Amino acid sequence: MHPTPEDLRGVKVLADLNEDALAWLAGITELRSVPNGEVFVRAGTPAEHMHLMFEGQLDYEGDVGGQPVHWVVTTGEVAGLLPRSRMTHFPSTATAVGLVRVGLVHRDRFADIAARLPELDARLLAVMTNRIRDAAHAEEQRERMSALGRLSAGLAHELNNPVAGPRGPARGGMARQGTPLSPPDRAARFPAPPPHTGRGGPHAPHP
């Protein structure tokens, strides 16, 4: 079963294509309905189709670099395999939220799209570029959060061991202070001031 040109017009990157282009694209697109809660694609399965979202929402969950990831694709968006993508297997599992109607374009038709609809091919390339940029930004955020987690763990360790920190500086401080002076040494180093002999002080002239 194929979608209608009106279905395709609801996808943002296809909205301004002419009727002939939409009719041709509809002819190479398979329409699939996915009930609420059903898995649409599973992580690890071969990536062979581009997905055109006509209705509903897909929730994607997976694991990237040991960190869980989650994102959604909604009505009017493009997902799945894109032209020029090197993806061979889906990295995450997509589950339908509500009734989902989605168009599938097989990778074997990507060359036909580039030849017949070069403007669409360029738009799909831009979608893939944005996807790569968003993925890189998400990876950077995950690395920052991981570094923050390590820092927090280190601070927590220090706070849970408060005695370990002050002892080192205290010992160093005592070593720098040295041995207290004996009374004779102190008297030799710091002599007492001369006694006071009158209002004029010790150096006042005699009358």
Side-chain angles (χ1 to χ4, degrees):
M1 184 175 181
H2 301 288
T4 66
E6 286 306 309
D7 288 328
L8 294 172
R9 197 178 294 282
V11 179
K12 296 173 186 176
V13 296
L14 312 177
D16 62 350
L17 295 180
N18 60 48
E19 292 297 326
D20 289 342
L22 290 174
W24 176 81
L25 191 58
I28 64 170
T29 302
E30 174 191 350
L31 178 62
R32 184 174 299 179
S33 295
V34 188
N36 179 48
E38 184 173 303
V39 172
F40 175 54
V41 294
R42 289 191 182 278
T45 57
E48 297 182 341
H49 294 88
M50 177 170 61
H51 304 150
L52 308 175
M53 290 291 293
F54 301 141
E55 179 183 348
Q57 175 178 307
L58 290 173
D59 275 15
Y60 286 81
E61 292 186 353
D63 184 280
V64 176
Q67 298 292 328
V69 294
H70 173 260
W71 72 95
V72 299
V73 177
T74 60
T75 301
E77 297 184 337
V78 179
L81 181 69
L82 294 175
R84 298 183 179 83
S85 173
R86 296 181 180 179
M87 181 170 63
T88 59
H89 293 77
F90 288 112
S92 53
T93 297
T95 305
V97 178
L99 174 65
V100 170
R101 296 175 64 249
V102 57
L104 281 67
V105 181
H106 196 273
R107 65 188 312 159
D108 290 345
R109 305 311 298 263
F110 289 170
D112 297 333
I113 292 175
R116 182 153 184 163
L117 302 173
E119 70 276 22
L120 175 57
D121 185 60
R123 293 174 189 178
L124 294 174
L125 179 59
V127 171
M128 186 176 68
T129 301
N130 291 337
R131 180 188 290 183
I132 294 172
R133 182 190 60 206
D134 292 344
H137 178 71
E139 178 63 22
E140 180 182 351
Q141 291 296 103
R142 283 192 294 271
E143 290 179 356
R144 289 181 179 178
M145 294 301 295
S146 178
L148 181 60
R150 292 193 296 271
L151 176 61
S152 299
L155 292 175
H157 176 75
E158 293 297 329
L159 292 174
N160 289 332
N161 296 273
V163 179
R167 282 184 176 176
R171 287 195 299 268
M174 292 180 65
R176 287 192 297 270
Q177 290 173 4
T179 304
L181 293 173
S182 64
D185 291 339
R186 181 178 295 276
R189 184 173 296 185
F190 305 107
H196 182 70
T197 58
R199 288 180 300 174
H203 301 290
H206 294 284

